[in-house]
Amino acid sequence: MKVCNKKSGLHTLSRNGSLIFCDNCEKILGSSNKDAYKFLNVSIVCTCGNYGSIEVAKPENTSDPSKRVNKMPKEKYGVQICKRCGRPLLGVISDRVRAYSFYVECVCGEKYDMKSTFSKRLGETMQKLGEIKK
């Protein structure tokens, strides 16, 4: 089975991912690391009002995006990073989008479907507290 690609309203530089562009205004909205995932589904509403989505399913994926996993990856500088293996999965430029959602299965098998829900400053504080407790 080969890689299955579905794109609507967005496009990328290569079939399996890379930079993500809006079909309407041609702005770069983000990027995906094509070597880091087995399955990727991203939906983005651009600031120009265009809605788009990209889905890439590689043969070895075990994902079912209709089932919630309620897990969030680490976020560093706007890039979603796998908590288990540390691979960067995807990044979205928040100033260029109104909203976005994703479902991603990392090559290590971890699945994520939630954006980080706490602010960066709070996250840094919690990390420091965790280090102090050790």
Side-chain angles (χ1 to χ4, degrees):
M1 182 179 185
K2 62 182 184 175
V3 175
C4 176
N5 293 315
K6 296 177 186 174
K7 297 175 186 168
S8 172
L10 301 174
H11 65 275
T12 58
L13 291 176
S14 71
R15 284 183 43 85
N16 296 337
S18 68
L19 293 176
I20 301 170
F21 295 88
C22 174
D23 279 350
N24 187 42
C25 67
E26 293 294 324
K27 281 191 285 192
I28 298 172
L29 302 178
S31 65
S32 63
N33 181 357
K34 65 181 181 174
D35 298 324
Y37 59 82
K38 296 178 187 180
F39 182 85
L40 174 70
N41 184 314
V42 180
S43 297
I44 297 175
V45 179
C46 181
T47 53
C48 75
N50 184 46
Y51 167 81
S53 65
I54 293 176
E55 183 173 299
V56 180
K58 296 180 181 176
E60 63 273 11
N61 90 78
T62 60
S63 294
D64 181 1
S66 65
K67 293 183 181 174
R68 299 271 316 177
V69 292
N70 293 322
K71 289 175 111 179
M72 67 179 86
K74 289 192 295 186
E75 183 178 334
K76 189 170 186 177
Y77 306 116
V79 176
Q80 308 299 322
I81 300 170
C82 180
K83 287 182 179 177
R84 184 191 289 173
C85 68
R87 284 184 177 88
L89 301 166
L90 75 134
V92 175
I93 303 170
S94 57
D95 295 347
R96 297 183 183 185
V97 301
R98 289 186 185 163
Y100 75 97
S101 63
F102 64 88
Y103 183 104
V104 63
E105 179 182 358
C106 183
V107 293
C108 74
E110 280 294 308
K111 297 175 186 173
Y112 303 102
D113 63 356
M114 291 179 61
K115 295 184 278 186
S116 182
T117 56
F118 53 86
S119 71
K120 289 179 182 18
R121 294 302 304 174
L122 178 59
E124 290 170 2
T125 303
M126 291 176 64
Q127 185 177 11
K128 287 291 182 194
L129 285 173
E131 291 171 2
I132 291 170
K133 288 182 179 180
K134 289 180 182 178

